[in-house]
């Protein structure tokens, strides 16, 4: 478990003292949710959805009583679910009504969502304590709001979002279990250090533990955790655009938005293996692992005057650009920092820190948030403490009138929650489709093959690791790693973090860096965790963080943290979880939200979790998601929805499964043409639609899965669904 408790986080983040002022009811319930997430399994997809659904509930409870704003869910058809709402008598006390609706809805929703959480014994009583502290009755269960009961309306809203969640594609009713995905590779049994030469090096590999403990510190019931959410692309999004969606069959239907194209796959090197992008990307992860020894006195300036301020145009695209962007030997990116703090008009004060301490703390701080609230929850904590900063004026996008705390919170939560949810849907759809390997498997696989640099040297193999002097070398006779009988001579060794085998007491021990057998390389993680249980490409951290950075920039109307710098104090020898450290106290600092996001991305490389190829495309997609989520949320705030929104709910296709006919039902003649495709993408049938409900006769088809697309009169895709032929 994290050593930094919540109260400490409140007092340290952004250097703000613990606030005694009353927060809004939305903030109170958001804090309850974050607390419950910390006690649950570390499931970023599930909790991005929980954060979004709770944000949508609280926003709608506020928007019901606003003359301009539109609800997102209540009284609307959202996805394929129609939420009923027949109106309610206007309250004499609007704020009291909002408070009551929000509290009843959130209490019922969170109690439902965390009923089976490993932390339920703490979370559920905490929900009840907050609820009853307001004077509300846990035994009031009515959903009949026709009499004007705002408590009943809150219960009704909770019932509606709970029912919606049972059919939004997440498979909540089966505890979010996978329905179709199967891994290509057999598990890597971590304790045995067996060769993994028989795996597909381009595909994800499960990990087998004696005991698996997730990022939140919960013992997982299976010792080989399955891929988390490979089918999450099917979950209904907030602002993702239907035109950006492809449904691709890769053993199952993969719903992929904004396809970034494939990652780098391993090549049959003709010597000089470092010229293979795959080998370069994963070798870089191994080299950055050599930075994690506090005995290394390399010092770097980590102030905003030296790092950050990286323009989006600097993101690499070609292999040569990747090599220029990431410093494979020294670590970091080409950012040069900010000349001055725009608030104080003074230069940022340099802060010299051991690179090893900085890299180790980044790997831990950004892993799941300092209190294990998962990356989406971590950005909610950042949003909350930005809101608390005394220099923040709560003007949406930095303009207009100052908003009250409740209005500010529900609007910020909707935009941020929508972005986090869409980042999960988009990223995990891509993860499930490309099913890409993690460094723990790629590096050990290449190490087992040998070296790919020089065919005249021992252990040459086209799939081997590239040799890099001082970092990746061959073992020779006389080497301490040679073995008693020289059994390791000719094998590959790496200069890297030595791993959890060298740590007995994490409060006192430091594994350090040294030469180890390359097939014993470890990420900078706990030995009971090692790597998140899902594919690497794309990086969820990069996507979540960049999306959040764009949302916070747009919400506040300022790319800079309040005061021109956000900070988090790191105590000496009492922050790292699985080894002692850091060796000296220091302060994490960021000038802008994007700087914090970029730091998050680098942390995952130092942590041994992602190669660069997982990172950059996640940042790019995240930036798009953040802007689109804020734009759509702002449309709801203004009561003017974008015509480009993902809205297909008024189109229905039935029966499914079908025999020889399908009926297309629309509103306002939204569909003018439909196409039917085979599972391999062949166009089989086209029909013009002339009415709001039309039954079409289909050709004689074999039993199986087909795809139907519907277009409006301008050619825009309005319908894309899987249908089954009996």
């Amino acid at each position: 478990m994290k050593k930094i408790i919540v109260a400490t986080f409140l007092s340290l983040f952004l250097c703000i003292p613990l606030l005694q002022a009353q927060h809004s009811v939305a903030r109170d319930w958001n804090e309850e949710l974050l607390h419950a997430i910390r006690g649950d399994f570390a499931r970023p997809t599930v909790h991005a959805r929980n954060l979004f659904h709770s944000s949508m509930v609280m926003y709608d409870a506020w928007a019901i009583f606003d003359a301009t704003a539109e609800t997102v869910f209540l009284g609307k058809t959202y996805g394929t679910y129609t939420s009923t709402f027949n109106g309610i008598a206007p309250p004499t006390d609007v704020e009291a009504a909002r408070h009551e609706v929000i509290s009843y809805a959130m209490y019922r929703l969170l109690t439902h969502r965390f009923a089976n959480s490993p932390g339920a014994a703490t979370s559920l009583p905490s929900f009840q304590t907050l609820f009853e502290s307001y004077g509300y009755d846990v035994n009031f269960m009515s959903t009949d709001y026709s009499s004007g009961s705002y408590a009943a309306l809150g219960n009704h809203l909770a019932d509606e979002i709970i029912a919606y969640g049972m059919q939004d594609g997440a498979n909540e009713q089966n505890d979010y279990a996978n329905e179709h995905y199967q891994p290509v590779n057999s598990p890597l049994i971590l304790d045995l250090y067996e060769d993994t030469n028989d795996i597909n090096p381009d595909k994800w590999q499960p990990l087998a533990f004696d005991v698996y403990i997730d990022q939140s510190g919960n013992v997982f019931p299976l010792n080989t955790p399955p891929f988390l959410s490979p089918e999450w692309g099917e979950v209904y999004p907030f602002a993702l655009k239907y035109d950006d969606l492809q449904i691709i069959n890769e053993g199952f239907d993969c719903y992929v938005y904004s396809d970034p194209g494939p990652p780098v796959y391993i090549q049959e090197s003709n010597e000089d293996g470092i010229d293979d992008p795959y080998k370069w990307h994963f070798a870089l992860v191994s080299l950055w692992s050599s930075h994690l020894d506090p005995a290394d006195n390399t010092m770097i300036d980590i102030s905003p005057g030296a790092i950050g301020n990286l323009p989006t145009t600097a993101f690499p695209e070609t292999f040569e650009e990747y090599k220029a962007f990431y410093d494979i030997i020294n670590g970091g990116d080409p950012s040069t920092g900010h000349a001055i703090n725009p608030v104080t008009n003074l230069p940022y004060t340099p802060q010299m820190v051991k690179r090893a301490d900085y890299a180790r703390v980044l790997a831990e701080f950004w892993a799941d948030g300092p209190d294990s609230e998962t990356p989406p929850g971590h950005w909610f904590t950042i949003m909350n403490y930005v809101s608390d900063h005394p220099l923040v004026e709560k003007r949406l996008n930095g303009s207009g009138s100052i908003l009250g705390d409740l209005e500010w919170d529900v609007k910020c939560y909707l935009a941020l929650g929508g972005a986090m949810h869409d980042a999960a849907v988009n990223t995990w759809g891509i993860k499930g489709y490309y099913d890409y390997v993690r460094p723990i498997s790629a590096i050990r696989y290449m190490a087992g093959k040998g070296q790919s640099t020089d065919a005249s040297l021992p252990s040459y193999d086209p799939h081997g690791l590239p040799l890099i002097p001082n970092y990746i070398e061959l073992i020779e006779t006389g080497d301490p790693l040679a073995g008693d009988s020289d059994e390791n001579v000719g094998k590959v060794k790496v200069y890297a973090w030595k791993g959890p085998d060298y740590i007995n007491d994490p409060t006192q021990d430091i594994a350090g860096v040294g030469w180890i057998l390359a097939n014993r390389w470890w990420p900078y993680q706990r030995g009971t965790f090692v790597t998140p249980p899902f594919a690497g490409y794309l990086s969820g951290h990069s996507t979540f963080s960049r999306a959040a950075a764009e949302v916070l920039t747009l919400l506040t109307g300022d790319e800079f943290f309040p005061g021109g710098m956000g900070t988090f104090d790191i105590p000496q020898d009492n922050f790292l979880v699985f080894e002692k450290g850091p060796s000296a106290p220091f302060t994490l600092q960021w000038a802008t939200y994007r700087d914090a996001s970029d730091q998050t991305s680098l942390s995952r490389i130092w942590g041994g979790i992602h190669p660069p190829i997982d990172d950059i495309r996640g940042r790019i997609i995240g930036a798009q998601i953040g802007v689109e989520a804020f734009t759509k949320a702002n449309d709801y705030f203004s009561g003017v929805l974008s015509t480009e929104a993902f809205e297909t709910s008024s189109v229905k296709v039935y029966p499914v499964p079908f025999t020889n006919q399908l009926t297309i039902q629309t509103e306002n003649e939204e569909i003018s043409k439909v196409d039917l495709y085979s599972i391999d993408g062949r166009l089989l049938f086209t029909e013009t639609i002339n009415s709001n409900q039309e039954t079409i006769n289909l050709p004689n088809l074999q039993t199986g899965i087909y795809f139907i697309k519907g277009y409006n009169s301008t050619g825009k895709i309005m319908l894309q669904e899987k249908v089954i032929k009996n």
Side-chain angles (χ1 to χ4, degrees):
M1 298 297 289
K2 297 289 190 289
K3 296 177 183 177
I4 304 299
I5 62 174
V6 177
T8 306
F9 180 66
L10 297 182
S11 62
L12 293 179
F13 192 78
L14 301 177
C15 295
I16 299 173
L18 285 172
L19 300 179
Q20 303 301 318
Q22 193 80 16
H23 287 133
S24 77
V25 64
R27 171 67 175 272
D28 288 346
W29 282 111
N30 180 254
E31 296 286 6
E32 283 294 320
L33 172 54
L34 292 170
H35 176 71
I37 290 171
R38 294 175 187 121
D40 193 32
F41 292 118
R43 301 180 289 185
T45 50
V46 172
H47 294 310
R49 177 175 174 269
N50 283 331
L51 286 159
F52 172 54
H53 286 185
S54 66
S55 299
M56 189 161 56
V57 160
M58 293 192 291
Y59 169 79
D60 275 10
W62 175 87
I64 292 166
F65 306 109
D66 186 80
T68 301
E70 250 186 271
T71 60
V72 179
F73 174 74
L74 190 62
K76 300 287 188 66
T77 297
Y78 194 78
T80 58
Y81 185 85
T82 299
S83 168
T84 61
F85 178 54
N86 300 319
I88 193 167
T92 54
D93 186 338
V94 171
E95 292 308 305
R98 285 171 168 157
H99 193 288
E100 193 167 356
V101 177
I102 287 172
S103 294
Y104 273 87
M106 287 296 291
Y107 175 69
R108 303 298 179 203
L109 174 61
L110 297 189
T111 300
H112 165 77
R113 289 282 170 86
F114 290 90
N116 297 315
S117 167
T122 299
S123 298
L124 300 188
S126 185
F127 300 153
Q128 184 169 339
T129 297
L130 177 63
F131 185 73
E132 291 182 331
S133 74
Y134 296 139
Y136 298 135
D137 181 4
V138 295
N139 297 312
F140 181 78
M141 305 295 290
S142 172
T143 58
D144 181 7
Y145 57 88
S146 61
S147 63
S149 168
Y150 300 110
L153 179 57
N155 288 338
H156 170 73
L157 178 53
D159 277 2
E160 289 290 279
I161 197 72
I162 289 168
Y164 165 73
M166 293 300 177
Q167 52 85 74
D168 70 337
N171 198 24
E172 180 187 340
Q173 60 271 33
N174 294 309
D175 197 26
Y176 311 100
N178 300 335
E179 296 186 87
H180 307 292
Y181 171 86
Q182 294 293 330
V184 170
N185 291 315
S186 57
L188 172 62
I189 303 173
L190 291 160
D191 288 345
L192 297 183
Y193 293 113
E194 293 177 323
D195 285 339
T196 56
N197 296 352
D198 58 343
I199 70 166
N200 181 333
D202 294 325
K203 294 296 184 181
W204 179 72
Q205 182 181 28
L207 302 181
F209 300 80
D210 283 342
V211 177
Y212 174 67
I213 302 175
D214 75 4
Q215 196 79 41
S216 294
N218 295 301
V219 176
F220 197 76
L222 301 175
N223 64 359
T224 304
F227 192 132
L228 175 73
S229 308
E231 298 146 12
W232 205 258
E234 295 185 45
V235 178
Y236 192 78
F238 175 61
L240 297 179
K241 289 182 168 57
Y242 198 56
D243 289 348
D244 293 333
L245 172 65
Q246 299 178 67
I247 302 175
I248 312 166
N249 190 272
E250 187 67 20
F252 63 97
D253 290 343
C254 300
Y255 285 62
V256 179
Y257 293 87
S258 302
D259 184 3
V264 290
Y265 295 131
I266 198 165
Q267 297 177 10
E268 297 287 335
S269 301
N270 183 18
E271 301 188 293
D272 296 324
I274 196 66
D275 294 332
D276 173 358
Y278 178 102
K279 299 183 181 73
W280 180 88
H281 279 272
F282 287 105
L284 179 143
V285 178
S286 177
L287 265 66
W288 282 27
S289 176
S290 72
H291 302 160
L292 304 174
D293 190 349
D296 177 356
N297 290 318
T298 301
M299 305 292 287
I300 59 174
D301 183 359
I302 68 166
S303 74
I307 57 176
N309 198 24
L310 188 68
T312 302
T313 54
F315 288 163
E317 295 182 9
T318 67
F319 180 39
E320 291 303 315
E321 289 171 345
Y322 270 92
K323 290 192 288 185
F325 185 90
Y326 296 92
D327 189 333
I328 190 172
I329 300 297
N330 299 304
D333 59 30
S335 66
T336 56
H338 302 262
I340 62 169
N341 180 324
V343 176
T344 65
N345 288 316
L346 296 173
Y348 290 98
T349 302
Q351 184 185 188
M352 302 303 295
V353 173
K354 280 187 177 183
R355 179 182 61 185
D357 282 341
Y358 176 69
R360 291 189 302 157
V361 164
L362 289 194
E364 180 63 33
F365 177 79
W366 289 111
D368 238 7
D371 296 297
S372 297
E373 57 271 310
T374 74
H378 191 182
W379 281 97
F380 267 78
T381 66
I382 293 174
M383 176 77 256
N384 285 337
Y385 301 110
V386 167
S387 297
D388 283 343
H389 199 286
L391 294 181
V392 167
E393 288 190 336
K394 296 180 178 179
R395 304 179 192 271
L396 192 65
N397 198 222
S399 62
S401 60
I402 293 179
L403 306 183
D405 288 346
L406 178 60
E407 181 175 357
W408 171 261
D409 286 341
V410 297
K411 288 182 173 180
C412 289
Y413 291 161
L414 180 66
L416 183 58
M420 296 299 90
H421 179 62
D422 281 359
V425 172
N426 199 332
T427 303
W428 265 257
I430 292 167
K431 286 178 181 287
Y433 174 56
Y434 285 108
D435 196 28
Y436 194 54
V437 67
R438 290 280 191 171
I440 180 69
S441 297
I443 292 172
R444 290 192 182 189
Y445 167 82
M446 289 188 289
K449 289 292 187 180
Q451 56 88 14
S452 57
T453 295
D454 189 340
S456 68
L457 295 176
S459 304
Y460 176 78
D461 188 280
H463 278 199
L465 278 166
L467 297 178
I468 301 174
N470 301 318
Y471 297 99
I472 305 175
E473 297 181 353
L474 288 173
I475 297 171
E476 299 177 350
T477 299
D479 191 302
L481 295 174
D484 295 338
S485 303
D486 278 355
E487 64 269 18
N488 294 326
V489 170
K491 292 183 180 180
V492 181
K493 64 179 182 178
V494 293
Y495 190 69
W497 185 67
K498 292 192 292 184
D501 291 345
Y502 291 80
I503 300 170
N504 293 316
D505 181 352
T507 67
Q508 299 298 322
D509 296 341
I510 297 170
V513 167
W515 287 104
I516 59 173
L517 287 166
N519 63 0
R520 295 193 171 206
W521 180 88
W522 290 89
Y524 186 70
Q525 305 289 324
R526 284 183 284 110
T528 52
F529 175 72
V530 181
T531 292
F534 41 83
Y537 183 79
L538 296 170
S539 166
H541 276 70
S542 292
T543 314
F544 283 130
S545 297
R546 192 56 179 225
E550 298 302 325
V551 170
L552 266 67
T553 298
L554 289 165
L555 285 169
T556 62
D558 190 347
E559 64 179 324
F560 284 84
F561 275 87
M565 185 167 70
T567 66
F568 187 94
D569 291 337
I570 305 296
Q572 180 178 351
D573 289 334
N574 195 32
F575 182 79
L576 301 179
V577 170
F578 48 87
E579 68 174 5
K580 186 179 180 180
S583 62
F586 64 93
T587 302
L588 292 177
Q589 299 173 325
W590 319 279
T592 70
Y593 305 114
R594 296 186 186 104
D595 291 347
S597 168
D598 291 340
Q599 186 186 85
T600 306
S601 298
L602 296 181
S603 78
R604 303 305 276 169
I605 302 175
W606 266 308
I609 297 300
H610 287 290
I613 195 63
D614 294 354
D615 169 23
I616 293 299
R617 295 175 188 176
R619 297 196 214 187
I620 293 169
I621 288 176
Q624 175 183 323
I625 287 171
V627 172
E628 290 179 353
F630 173 82
T631 300
K632 185 162 187 182
N634 198 44
D635 286 342
Y636 283 112
F637 306 157
S638 305
V640 181
L641 294 179
S642 168
T643 57
E644 294 300 315
F646 185 108
E647 305 224 356
T648 63
S649 56
S650 59
V651 182
K652 296 181 180 179
V653 180
Y654 60 90
V656 177
F658 67 93
T659 51
N660 298 314
Q661 292 182 329
L662 276 174
T663 298
I664 313 297
Q665 182 177 322
T666 73
E667 294 178 3
N668 302 320
E669 298 184 1
E670 291 175 279
I671 302 294
S672 60
K673 187 187 79 164
V674 294
D675 291 338
L676 188 73
Y677 292 85
S678 64
I679 198 169
D680 60 4
R682 291 181 294 114
L683 178 62
L684 303 176
F685 179 79
T686 296
E687 179 78 5
T688 300
I689 304 298
N690 297 310
S691 64
N692 287 343
Q693 181 171 320
E694 187 162 334
T695 298
I696 56 177
N697 295 312
L698 297 170
N700 188 25
L701 300 171
Q702 293 182 343
T703 299
I705 299 172
Y706 297 85
F707 299 95
I708 189 167
K709 286 187 178 182
Y711 309 83
N712 67 10
S713 58
T714 66
K716 179 181 176 181
I717 298 175
M718 304 297 293
L719 166 71
Q720 182 166 302
E721 287 189 10
K722 174 177 68 176
V723 291
I724 300 171
K725 167 70 164 59
N726 269 341

